[in-house]
Amino acid sequence: MSVRIEDVATHAGVSTKTVSRVLNGNPSVRARLRTRIEASIRALNYVPNASARSLAGNRSYLVALLYDNPMSGSSYTMELIVGVLQACEGTPYNAVLHPFDAADDLAARIDGFVATHRPDALVLVPPHANNAALLQRLDELGVPYSTISSKLRQSRINVGFDERKAAAEIVAHLVALGHRRIGHVAGLQGHGARTWRLNGYRDALRKAGIAYDESLVVDGDFAFASGMAGARTLLDRPRPPTAIFAANDDMACGVMREAYARGLSIPGDLSVCGFDDTPASRLISPGLTTVHQPCRELGRVAVESVLQSIRDGAPPAPERVPYQVQWRASAAVPRNP
Amino acid sequence: MSVRIEDVATHAGVSTKTVSRVLNGNPSVRARLRTRIEASIRALNYVPNASARSLAGNRSYLVALLYDNPMSGSSYTMELIVGVLQACEGTPYNAVLHPFDAADDLAARIDGFVATHRPDALVLVPPHANNAALLQRLDELGVPYSTISSKLRQSRINVGFDERKAAAEIVAHLVALGHRRIGHVAGLQGHGARTWRLNGYRDALRKAGIAYDESLVVDGDFAFASGMAGARTLLDRPRPPTAIFAANDDMACGVMREAYARGLSIPGDLSVCGFDDTPASRLISPGLTTVHQPCRELGRVAVESVLQSIRDGAPPAPERVPYQVQWRASAAVPRNP
DNA sequence: TTGAAAGCGCTAACAA
DNA sequence: TTGTTAGCGCTTTCAA
């Protein structure tokens, strides 16, 4: 059908094994020979057959991304996927995507998945990244994996960013603008993101000498509706906050909806901040001040780290990628501090 | 390493070939034998090795999704991916995702892609679905493909939905509310979506007996900023529109931003409608009236159709999937008609 | 540092 | 309807 390794070997006047060595970056090939073989590969436009390679080498060259079944078009997952694909580019590896419902017992179903796809490595995102039983099973199966934003120590390779510091930075900015009563709509229990962002909020208050007022913190679940509900509770307080920091953008949008429903203007009557920098945070009016969650970077680094650990044997230390705060118009000096 | 087809054959007391026939749904296996073999497969927890299968069968069991490099987290692409993955579930097929920059000459690069991945089928979305040279090259290479929302007749298998009718429905609704001067921010030239939605807009006006006023139609490029710019132009007209229908949600959000910047209220002073039903359309305030683009369905049907054409030989007729209009608060009776 | 030969696990021809 | 045999294209022993 097409060009095979044998054709390259003939063209270069060597054995197929030597071509194979070049293909796999085996260092024990003389430089001159390597150059000649590489020239033949280009000349014949040779591309190795992935199936034959996997079969003979007992490797799939597959990296599987396990994520939660995104109910709505989740830009988080999309960006992650983009990063994962970027990391695979230029390597012999390919990505396999697999949405898994968080409600399912993944620790039990993972065996079937691994048997079917035989991935060389896995990348897990929350909530799966926080599933201790799942990680343990993967350890038992001997499948290398990396996690993204996991809160478990158990994960040998984890990538994330300093969500706590980022949240503190947002809240410190609100303080600097003159806000003293700052509300917080917290994220879903069990997610690292909830704890880190809430802690960042508290850090900034403490640093500013503002007493923590638990009546200004309400629970949310990262969904729009819970942001609305949270704002309702906070704005009904005898002394309502002049600013609300929501643990993610979807909830911040809910806060804005509720504020508008009460005839409040943003940021005049109420400053609002979010977290994630989803597309909606740019599209909504006014633009939402938020933390850019570096999803692509996270996906890219997660893949690179786990592949490196396969190559080099030693698992690399957990990684931290940089983040950035997006200052937009939704936060301003309070009208009535 | 693990259970092989030979083990199943031994267990069931048949030849490997017969097991293979069962695996591949070959009808020429007696029912009783089939049942026995299937029992053995379950008993041994056998899973075929995909690489060996591909190599021997000269098929990759891969469906490649070629989409444009999404600059921002595109919910369109994400939803499509979800649909594609859904369609692969329960089949031996897997999806390979490949973002391709629309600026690149894909028709020239497709050979390398096909040689590397050897996909059994391709699914193309705009703008690639509108790339005539690309489709021609695929025809030459003999790779089956389906397109999504392509405007080219050339594509034998195309899935889409009636965008023209959906747009007309939205505009008819504005008319029914009492609007007579309705502006339109059109999509990017060359996209089917631009033409279909613009035509739908004109259809609705004609049906309502409202003369088409070209000063109320401005060009956009599907991006937020072009929605703002379009609104600026339209609202600066001597007799500005009381409603604006943007060809997608991102531009509709831009229209809203510009309206707010002028102190207009929505929908009191200006009704706004979009198209696509992106996450932002739900999160923005007021909620945006828009057409739900059935991306998952499109992705799912595109895969199913092309796989069916591989099985049955005959390409199925182009498919139309249903859509739905999302009525939200951004469109209402005009305050000053 | 390089090469020869033996599979990896499956399917496709062909035969029975 | 079922079984036998020969590969698919590559990597891996092992030897040179």
Side-chain angles (χ1 to χ4, degrees):
Chain A
M1 168 161 152
S2 53
V3 186
R4 289 161 313 151
I5 197 170
E6 205 184 313
D7 302 323
V8 176
T10 308
H11 186 273
V14 295
S15 76
T16 60
K17 177 59 199 165
T18 306
V19 178
S20 171
R21 287 193 180 96
V22 170
L23 253 31
N24 293 284
N26 188 317
S28 73
V29 178
R30 218 170 295 225
R32 285 193 48 183
L33 202 53
R34 171 184 302 278
T35 313
R36 201 168 82 214
I37 293 170
E38 281 167 349
S40 296
I41 289 174
R42 269 192 305 279
L44 298 177
N45 222 341
Y46 168 72
V47 182
N49 178 313
S51 304
R53 226 177 171 186
S54 307
L55 182 58
N58 195 30
R59 291 193 283 165
S60 64
Y61 293 97
L62 247 38
V63 179
L65 177 69
L66 264 48
Y67 55 96
D68 193 18
N69 222 329
M71 289 321 292
S72 67
S74 145
S75 68
Y76 175 79
T77 308
M78 184 64 219
E79 292 287 305
L80 227 47
I81 290 173
V82 171
V84 165
L85 294 175
Q86 278 179 351
C88 292
E89 218 163 292
T91 76
Y93 287 90
N94 265 295
V96 175
L97 306 185
H98 213 92
F100 262 116
D101 200 313
D104 287 0
D105 183 5
L106 230 189
R109 307 189 58 181
I110 195 66
D111 288 50
F113 178 82
V114 169
T116 311
H117 295 277
R118 295 165 204 270
D120 292 341
L122 294 179
V123 174
L124 311 177
V125 301
H128 304 318
N130 296 328
N131 184 334
L134 172 60
L135 300 198
Q136 192 189 326
R137 186 68 194 127
L138 289 174
D139 286 333
E140 289 163 9
L141 291 171
V143 184
Y145 62 88
S146 63
T147 54
I148 290 175
S149 301
S150 171
K151 58 176 191 174
L152 301 177
R153 297 255 179 101
Q154 189 181 355
S155 174
R156 311 302 296 133
I157 310 177
N158 180 58
V159 311
F161 66 103
D162 199 335
E163 305 196 20
R164 182 169 182 162
K165 191 171 149 218
E169 212 174 302
I170 286 264
V171 176
H173 179 244
L174 290 170
V175 170
L177 287 170
H179 294 275
R180 284 293 171 275
R181 297 187 60 71
I182 301 170
H184 180 55
V185 185
L188 189 60
Q189 300 268 5
H191 279 246
R194 173 202 165 88
T195 313
W196 298 321
R197 296 170 194 186
L198 176 57
N199 285 341
Y201 164 80
R202 301 189 66 159
D203 290 348
L205 293 185
R206 191 180 316 114
K207 200 163 175 185
I210 299 174
Y212 175 75
D213 179 352
E214 68 175 14
S215 79
L216 289 182
V217 175
V218 296
D219 277 342
D221 62 6
F222 289 126
F224 179 81
S226 74
M228 277 189 74
R232 208 170 298 132
T233 305
L234 291 173
L235 296 172
D236 277 342
R237 298 276 188 236
R239 296 180 52 221
T242 60
I244 295 178
F245 165 50
N248 78 343
D249 290 349
D250 285 16
M251 293 197 297
C253 289
V255 169
M256 287 172 72
R257 173 75 58 89
E258 178 64 23
Y260 285 133
R262 291 165 180 248
L264 300 177
S265 81
I266 297 170
D269 299 317
L270 183 72
S271 286
V272 179
C273 293
F275 203 109
D276 283 349
D277 195 28
T278 58
S281 68
R282 278 181 290 268
L283 299 172
I284 203 168
S285 297
L288 187 65
T289 287
T290 187
V291 175
H292 178 72
Q293 167 140 242
C295 302
R296 287 188 193 197
E297 284 302 289
L298 292 172
R300 212 174 42 70
V301 174
V303 170
E304 288 170 355
S305 305
V306 73
L307 291 185
Q308 189 191 324
S309 85
I310 292 175
R311 262 201 317 279
D312 306 348
E319 304 255 8
R320 282 252 158 133
V321 304
Y323 66 87
Q324 247 190 330
V325 181
Q326 296 292 333
W327 307 110
R328 300 205 180 94
S330 67
V333 173
R335 197 177 282 169
N336 312 301
Chain B
M1 168 165 154
S2 51
V3 185
R4 289 160 313 151
I5 197 170
E6 205 185 314
D7 302 323
V8 177
T10 308
H11 187 272
V14 295
S15 76
T16 60
K17 182 55 201 165
T18 306
V19 178
S20 171
R21 286 193 179 96
V22 171
L23 253 30
N24 292 284
N26 188 316
S28 74
V29 178
R30 216 171 298 228
R32 284 193 48 183
L33 202 52
R34 171 183 302 279
T35 313
R36 200 168 83 213
I37 292 170
E38 281 167 348
S40 296
I41 288 173
R42 269 192 304 281
L44 298 177
N45 223 339
Y46 167 72
V47 182
N49 179 314
S51 304
R53 227 179 170 182
S54 307
L55 183 58
N58 194 30
R59 291 193 282 166
S60 64
Y61 294 98
L62 248 36
V63 179
L65 176 69
L66 265 46
Y67 55 97
D68 193 18
N69 221 328
M71 288 321 291
S72 67
S74 143
S75 67
Y76 176 79
T77 308
M78 184 63 219
E79 291 288 305
L80 227 47
I81 291 172
V82 171
V84 166
L85 294 175
Q86 278 179 352
C88 291
E89 217 162 292
T91 76
Y93 288 88
N94 266 296
V96 175
L97 307 185
H98 213 92
F100 263 115
D101 200 315
D104 287 0
D105 183 5
L106 230 189
R109 308 190 57 180
I110 195 66
D111 287 50
F113 178 81
V114 169
T116 310
H117 296 278
R118 296 165 202 270
D120 292 340
L122 293 180
V123 174
L124 310 177
V125 301
H128 304 318
N130 296 327
N131 184 334
L134 172 60
L135 299 198
Q136 193 189 327
R137 186 71 193 125
L138 289 175
D139 286 333
E140 289 163 9
L141 291 171
V143 184
Y145 61 86
S146 63
T147 54
I148 290 175
S149 301
S150 171
K151 57 175 192 173
L152 301 178
R153 296 255 180 101
Q154 188 181 356
S155 174
R156 310 303 296 133
I157 310 177
N158 180 59
V159 309
F161 65 104
D162 199 335
E163 305 196 19
R164 182 170 182 162
K165 190 171 151 220
E169 214 174 302
I170 286 263
V171 175
H173 180 243
L174 290 171
V175 171
L177 288 169
H179 293 275
R180 284 294 170 274
R181 296 188 59 72
I182 301 171
H184 180 53
V185 184
L188 189 60
Q189 300 267 6
H191 280 247
R194 173 203 165 86
T195 313
W196 298 321
R197 297 170 194 186
L198 176 56
N199 284 341
Y201 164 81
R202 301 188 67 159
D203 290 348
L205 293 185
R206 190 181 315 115
K207 199 162 175 186
I210 299 174
Y212 176 74
D213 178 351
E214 70 174 12
S215 78
L216 289 182
V217 175
V218 296
D219 276 343
D221 62 7
F222 289 126
F224 178 81
S226 74
M228 277 188 76
R232 209 171 298 134
T233 305
L234 292 173
L235 296 173
D236 278 343
R237 297 275 188 238
R239 294 180 54 221
T242 60
I244 296 179
F245 165 49
N248 78 344
D249 289 348
D250 284 16
M251 293 196 297
C253 290
V255 169
M256 288 172 72
R257 174 75 58 87
E258 178 64 23
Y260 285 134
R262 290 166 180 247
L264 299 177
S265 82
I266 297 170
D269 298 318
L270 183 73
S271 285
V272 179
C273 294
F275 202 111
D276 281 351
D277 193 29
T278 58
S281 68
R282 279 182 290 269
L283 300 171
I284 203 167
S285 297
L288 188 64
T289 286
T290 185
V291 175
H292 178 72
Q293 165 138 247
C295 302
R296 288 190 192 196
E297 283 302 289
L298 292 172
R300 211 173 43 70
V301 174
V303 171
E304 288 170 354
S305 304
V306 72
L307 291 184
Q308 190 191 324
S309 85
I310 292 177
R311 262 202 316 278
D312 306 348
E319 304 254 9
R320 281 252 159 136
V321 304
Y323 66 88
Q324 248 190 329
V325 181
Q326 295 293 332
W327 306 110
R328 300 205 180 94
S330 67
V333 173
R335 198 177 283 168
N336 312 303

